């Protein structure tokens, strides 16, 4: 079975940093683009960013550009979300997802086939 497991969430003060990890199993990890999404209470799920199979290309939402970065280690079937300069507006459940598309990177959640269970990030002020 395909399994994506996020970890690294928690409570952090405004201005602080967190690094989230998504560990994948049950798939050929290097064949998938990997995306990060988040959902705050009462809000629609929001695209954060995505990284290509090789890690050579990334796309970020304007809301996180310059603060968040995505990287991956295909040898360890792992993708990371580094979050800096966190603000209370970043409080949400964060999800990783896998996309089989090879020709382009997707920003739409319905293009992602596999999803993790999410990890809570809470930013206090």
């Amino acid at each position: 079975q395909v399994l994506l497991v996020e970890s690294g969430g928690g409570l952090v003060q405004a201005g602080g940093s967190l690094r989230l990890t998504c560990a994948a199993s049950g798939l050929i990890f290097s064949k998938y683009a990997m995306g990060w999404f988040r959902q705050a209470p009462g809000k629609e799920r929001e695209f954060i960013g995505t990284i290509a199979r090789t890690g050579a290309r990334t796309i970020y939402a304007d809301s996180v550009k310059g603060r968040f970065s995505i990287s991956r280690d295909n040898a360890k079937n792992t993708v990371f979300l580094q979050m800096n300069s966190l603000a209370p507006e970043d409080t949400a459940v964060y999800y990783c997802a896998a996309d089989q598309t090879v020709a382009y990177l997707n920003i739409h959640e319905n293009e992602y086939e596999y999803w993790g269970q999410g990890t809570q990030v809470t930013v206090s002020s």
Side-chain angles (χ1 to χ4, degrees):
Q1 68 188 56
V2 174
L3 184 65
L4 306 180
V5 180
E6 303 95 336
S7 61
L11 177 64
V12 64
Q13 293 182 345
S17 298
L18 283 174
R19 188 175 79 157
L20 305 184
T21 298
C22 175
S25 61
L27 78 173
I28 303 175
F29 185 71
S30 62
K31 300 296 185 182
Y32 290 80
M34 297 297 299
W36 285 95
F37 297 78
R38 66 186 181 185
Q39 188 167 27
K43 299 283 190 177
E44 186 174 309
R45 187 152 55 189
E46 175 189 14
F47 169 77
I48 296 171
T50 185
I51 186 167
R53 296 173 298 160
T54 65
R57 292 181 59 212
T58 52
I59 297 174
Y60 298 99
D62 288 343
S63 60
V64 305
K65 196 172 299 180
R67 299 189 299 124
F68 292 9
S69 64
I70 301 170
S71 60
R72 66 190 295 162
D73 186 343
N74 285 351
K76 297 181 178 179
N77 287 7
T78 304
V79 63
F80 304 96
L81 177 65
Q82 178 67 46
M83 304 185 294
N84 300 322
S85 301
L86 284 163
E89 307 90 84
D90 297 313
T91 295
V93 177
Y94 284 70
Y95 300 89
C96 67
D99 171 27
Q100 297 183 73
T101 302
V102 298
Y104 56 91
L105 294 177
N106 279 306
I107 65 172
H108 304 113
E109 66 179 35
N110 60 6
E111 299 293 339
Y112 286 81
E113 183 174 4
Y114 302 111
W115 291 80
Q117 83 291 341
T119 186
Q120 176 71 47
V121 172
T122 303
V123 184
S124 64
S125 61

